[in-house]
Amino acid sequence: MPATQLSDYQPPYWLFNGHLQTIVPSQFRKVEGVSYQRERFSTPDKDFLLLDWSVKQSDKLVIISHGLEGDSHRPYIKGMVRAFNRAGWDALAWNFRGCGGEINHTLRFYHSGATDDLDLVIAHALSQKKYTSIVLVGFSLGGNLTLKYLGESGDRLIPEIKAGAVFSVPMDLYTCSVQISAPANFIYNRRFLRNLKLKVSQKVLTMPDELSTEYFSKIRNLKDFDDFYTAPLHGFKDAMEYYTHCSSLYYLNAIRIPTLIVNAQNDPFLSDKCYPADLLKDHAFVHLETPASGGHVGFMPRGAAADDNYWSEERATAFAERYL
């Protein structure tokens, strides 16, 4: 399964650049027909994860991981849930720690390499029902997390996991943090930092002796936030050590199941290192697709009705069905 840049994705004519293709689906798409059953899952370290299930009584399950400061109710998550439900699959959209509407109990948050929580979710799902086939789908940060998990597991991956499909993945965390902090991306940078600081502030109220907002005035970009909060809260010396250990780019060679990576060439968040065609050209399992358009977690199809699946959802379900 050689890597390729070929893609049949075509955006609507009026979404003529990567920013529009990113913003319009995020802010204006409404996904109807998804009804979640929420489960509060207790973790071994006395914390919790919020799991949202959409069940069709299938023996096939898709587990979906959201992006930075996302949650299970974002349109791109609900759209993917609905697409797999329509294809006859159960779906589990899990919320990272501190996401899903509640601040978590422990000092740690979530981060781009926290594969221990993904492993807990997979094990829990298998304990609830005899699923014969599981596919992992991830977006952005959740895509990086998914690829890292598959690479870390390598030949030891549980046999029920048959394939992975990820979209808009910042596979090199350092260069992508630089990219997001570029002047052209100031709106995204400001929004991410505002939301991240809010979560820190909320957690400070419950554990003021362990966490503070004293560094807020020094934070101008995501790397600053990762230096002052993400890295030390999760056992890393600094942001660069965190980026080195958690970038999925360094785990791709060890992936041993069919895996689809789709990164649009006009994605405003991604650096050049997120299109590793040379690295993957002889990979037996990883398929890289780099459409010219799509934005970041966009992929609105041309000429589609409001209730139609997005191109990314059709691509993921077709890929999953192919490798069962």
Side-chain angles (χ1 to χ4, degrees):
M1 188 167 54
T4 179
Q5 294 188 359
L6 299 177
S7 175
D8 62 358
Y9 173 68
Q10 294 291 327
Y13 292 108
W14 54 279
L15 297 182
F16 51 82
N17 64 36
H19 294 294
L20 286 173
Q21 292 164 18
T22 299
I23 294 169
V24 170
S26 171
Q27 298 301 310
F28 299 103
R29 187 186 187 191
K30 305 297 181 185
V31 178
E32 306 294 341
V34 174
S35 180
Y36 286 136
Q37 297 172 327
R38 172 154 288 190
E39 178 185 6
R40 190 182 184 90
F41 169 58
S42 297
T43 61
D45 59 349
K46 299 181 180 180
D47 207 348
F48 66 92
L49 296 170
L50 299 174
L51 313 182
D52 286 325
W53 295 82
S54 184
V55 175
K56 297 296 179 181
Q57 304 305 323
S58 175
D59 63 352
K60 303 178 295 185
L61 174 70
V62 60
I63 298 177
I64 308 173
S65 301
H66 61 75
L68 179 65
E69 286 306 281
D71 58 58
S72 61
H73 284 273
R74 294 299 172 95
Y76 63 90
I77 297 293
K78 293 181 73 176
M80 190 62 74
V81 167
R82 186 178 65 182
F84 270 90
N85 283 167
R86 285 172 168 174
W89 293 61
D90 286 4
L92 170 55
W94 68 291
N95 296 278
F96 304 156
R97 299 193 191 213
C99 301
E102 293 185 50
I103 292 296
N104 62 307
H105 293 159
T106 56
L107 187 60
R108 67 174 287 187
F109 281 102
Y110 69 93
H111 65 82
S112 296
T115 51
D116 55 335
D117 278 350
L118 178 55
D119 189 59
L120 286 174
V121 170
I122 294 168
H124 175 67
L126 285 171
S127 74
Q128 300 303 295
K129 183 176 178 179
K130 184 59 178 178
Y131 287 109
T132 59
S133 300
I134 294 176
V135 167
L136 304 181
V137 171
F139 294 92
S140 195
L141 181 151
N144 185 81
L145 187 74
T146 299
L147 291 176
K148 180 173 179 281
Y149 176 80
L150 294 176
E152 285 175 337
S153 302
D155 293 326
R156 298 176 289 103
L157 188 69
I158 61 172
E160 288 86 355
I161 300 178
K162 307 299 185 183
V166 293
F167 299 85
S168 306
V169 186
M171 290 186 277
D172 185 81
L173 297 175
Y174 170 62
T175 56
C176 288
S177 75
V178 173
Q179 180 73 18
I180 293 173
S181 302
N185 290 329
F186 76 95
I187 293 176
Y188 311 117
N189 183 69
R190 183 175 62 185
R191 183 180 181 185
F192 283 138
L193 291 180
R194 182 179 67 244
N195 292 342
L196 290 166
K197 287 179 178 179
L198 176 61
K199 284 188 174 174
V200 171
S201 299
Q202 291 172 330
K203 188 166 284 195
V204 166
L205 296 176
T206 62
M207 46 187 72
D209 296 333
E210 300 176 88
L211 196 62
S212 81
T213 60
E214 64 178 301
Y215 301 115
F216 279 11
S217 63
K218 299 180 180 180
I219 294 175
R220 296 289 181 270
N221 51 51
L222 286 178
K223 183 179 180 298
D224 291 339
F225 184 86
D226 291 335
D227 267 322
F228 288 115
Y229 290 102
T230 308
L233 287 176
H234 301 101
F236 302 102
K237 180 180 65 175
D238 54 23
M240 291 306 298
E241 183 177 82
Y242 159 58
Y243 295 152
T244 300
H245 279 80
C246 296
S247 292
S248 60
L249 184 66
Y250 309 120
Y251 296 86
L252 299 179
N253 283 337
I255 293 176
R256 293 294 178 268
I257 62 167
T259 301
L260 171 68
I261 302 172
V262 179
N263 280 354
Q265 295 176 42
N266 68 348
D267 189 320
F269 293 9
L270 301 188
S271 71
D272 290 345
K273 288 193 173 183
C274 299
Y275 309 92
D278 289 343
L279 176 67
L280 297 174
K281 64 181 180 180
D282 296 319
H283 203 298
F285 298 97
V286 179
H287 176 94
L288 175 66
E289 190 166 333
T290 57
S293 298
H296 189 76
V297 193
F299 304 107
M300 178 187 287
R302 179 177 295 181
D307 195 45
D308 287 350
N309 294 337
Y310 270 23
W311 177 88
S312 49
E313 295 151 11
E314 293 288 339
R315 189 73 183 89
T317 52
F319 190 84
E321 294 282 358
R322 177 181 178 185
Y323 290 105
L324 287 188

